[in-house]
Amino acid sequence: MIANERPLTGWLWLRAGGRDFSLPLEGVRKVALCRELRVAPPGPTVSSWWSGVALDGVRPYPLLNLAELIGVPGGPPLAPESVVVLFTLWSQPVGLVCDRFLGIIPQNTRSWPLSPSLFMAADGALPRARLWAGQPVPDLEPERLFTPARRAQFDQAMRDSKDNVDQLWELSELEQELARAPSAEGYLDLAAGYRELGWMEEAERMQARAAEIEPEAVPTARPTAGGLSGPCTPRVLLEVLQVLWLTGKSGELVLDAPGRIAGSVSFHSGCIVGARSGDIADPHAALQQLFSLRGERYQFIPGTPAAGAAPASGDTTAWMAEFERLVAAAP
């Protein structure tokens, strides 16, 4: 929305929890919508005001729900349209999550002091107010929102978020690489990584992008020995099966382990009509066996399944749900 490349004077006028506040502009780097940022969601044990960590450019920004910090009832949860003010707090970049960005208040606007006794929470964090647009707008000093105990919670949440942030960096770099050299298996890996972070919209977008790439084009995008498309972990196998199912493909998905053909899955119009793994011919048992393998590569050969292939017993939809549970429960 706006970016601050040089020091500015005045106050950022914003709304959080349905209340208006002003924030000194000299600490503001940028104002953005949450949907414009990459966000690693918060863990289950963090404080209610901690909303995860966002990536903007090369910098991570812990996201802090301003209404929750101030103690305003009904602070909104993080949503795609939430406004995030990228701000500097104790020389640490943070993102303050707000309802709306309303504008800029000039530096020379008259203000008057407020007593901390006026507030049940945010003691000392709202030291002054100014009259703007016909209403009083309290100034905000974010550092004063943090007692020593709350600062300790902040530091602990930063440590606990490191693994998620590192993973998000890797996924962002992978997406940039895929933009230069698209591949179906790369987008499937990316979808799985976003899903693990709880970033479901991005996972669905990556899975749809994989489905747009013709399977027969994958070997030329990433050539490997024998024309195979790439590594196949149990999670990647699940993603490939889902794509073939949802896009109604017909053909043979071949899995190759070192020195041998590990198995195959036959599709007709998106339905599994046969599967083999080693000597196992029962489709359901063969599929379960394929999900236990490691070190395979896969190749999808489009076309009509081999003559004589009979429809597999059971329902493809039910099998997909079973395999989702199997992969989710895997260590």
Side-chain angles (χ1 to χ4, degrees):
M1 294 175 65
I2 66 169
N4 175 16
E5 301 297 339
R6 57 190 177 86
L8 297 176
T9 60
W11 304 82
L12 192 73
W13 181 24
L14 52 87
R15 182 165 295 162
R19 313 289 178 86
D20 289 3
F21 301 95
S22 59
L23 188 71
L25 269 173
E26 60 261 30
V28 175
R29 176 181 173 270
K30 183 179 179 180
V31 179
L33 295 178
C34 184
R35 59 177 167 80
E36 297 172 335
L37 305 173
R38 301 293 192 187
V39 180
T45 60
V46 296
S47 301
S48 60
W49 44 265
W50 182 274
S51 298
V53 180
L55 294 184
D56 181 64
V58 297
R59 306 181 74 181
Y61 283 79
L63 300 183
L64 312 178
N65 188 305
L66 185 55
E68 291 279 353
L69 282 172
I70 295 173
V72 176
L78 194 65
E81 298 305 313
S82 295
V83 169
V84 179
V85 179
L86 302 183
F87 191 74
T88 301
L89 184 67
W90 321 299
S91 301
Q92 158 75 50
V94 301
L96 300 178
V97 180
C98 312
D99 302 353
R100 294 177 58 193
F101 160 63
L102 299 173
I104 304 296
I105 301 175
Q107 175 69 26
N108 59 358
T109 306
R110 184 179 177 183
S111 64
W112 64 91
L114 295 175
S115 170
S117 63
L118 293 174
F119 306 99
M120 295 180 63
D123 185 24
L126 306 170
R128 305 185 67 83
R130 62 196 67 244
L131 191 64
W132 187 251
Q135 62 180 337
V137 180
D139 293 348
L140 180 65
E141 293 191 10
E143 293 87 351
R144 298 192 184 185
L145 293 170
F146 287 84
T147 62
R150 183 176 273 183
R151 177 63 192 271
Q153 291 174 334
F154 177 96
D155 293 339
Q156 184 61 50
M158 284 292 290
R159 290 191 290 268
D160 293 344
S161 298
K162 183 180 183 304
D163 289 343
N164 273 0
V165 173
D166 289 346
Q167 187 177 359
L168 190 55
W169 278 119
E170 294 174 5
L171 294 175
S172 296
E173 291 176 356
L174 176 58
E175 186 167 352
Q176 293 176 16
E177 293 174 5
L178 287 170
R180 294 188 292 268
S183 73
E185 69 270 21
Y187 280 114
L188 291 171
D189 287 342
L190 191 56
Y194 282 142
R195 189 171 289 109
E196 287 180 1
L197 278 177
W199 201 351
M200 303 309 294
E201 289 186 6
E202 287 299 304
E204 292 172 3
R205 184 169 66 85
M206 294 300 104
Q207 188 158 330
R209 183 69 186 91
E212 294 171 359
I213 300 175
E214 290 295 329
E216 56 267 35
V218 173
T220 60
R222 288 182 61 182
T224 59
L228 299 177
S229 63
C232 185
T233 65
R235 183 171 293 279
V236 170
L237 174 58
L238 173 62
E239 298 283 356
V240 173
L241 292 177
Q242 288 174 327
V243 168
L244 297 175
W245 170 46
L246 294 172
T247 56
K249 299 296 185 183
S250 295
E252 200 82 5
L253 179 67
V254 179
L255 278 73
D256 180 71
R260 64 185 178 89
I261 299 296
S264 64
V265 185
S266 300
F267 276 84
H268 187 276
S269 299
C271 293
I272 297 176
V273 296
R276 296 189 64 90
S277 178
D279 296 330
I280 302 174
D282 175 72
H284 187 230
L287 283 163
Q288 289 178 318
Q289 177 66 22
L290 292 177
F291 273 96
S292 70
L293 299 176
R294 297 293 188 276
E296 316 96 78
R297 302 179 73 83
Y298 78 89
Q299 180 182 23
F300 180 68
I301 305 170
T304 304
S313 60
D315 178 76
T316 300
T317 302
W319 285 0
M320 291 297 181
E322 176 187 345
F323 299 146
E324 286 180 4
R325 292 192 296 270
L326 188 153
V327 172

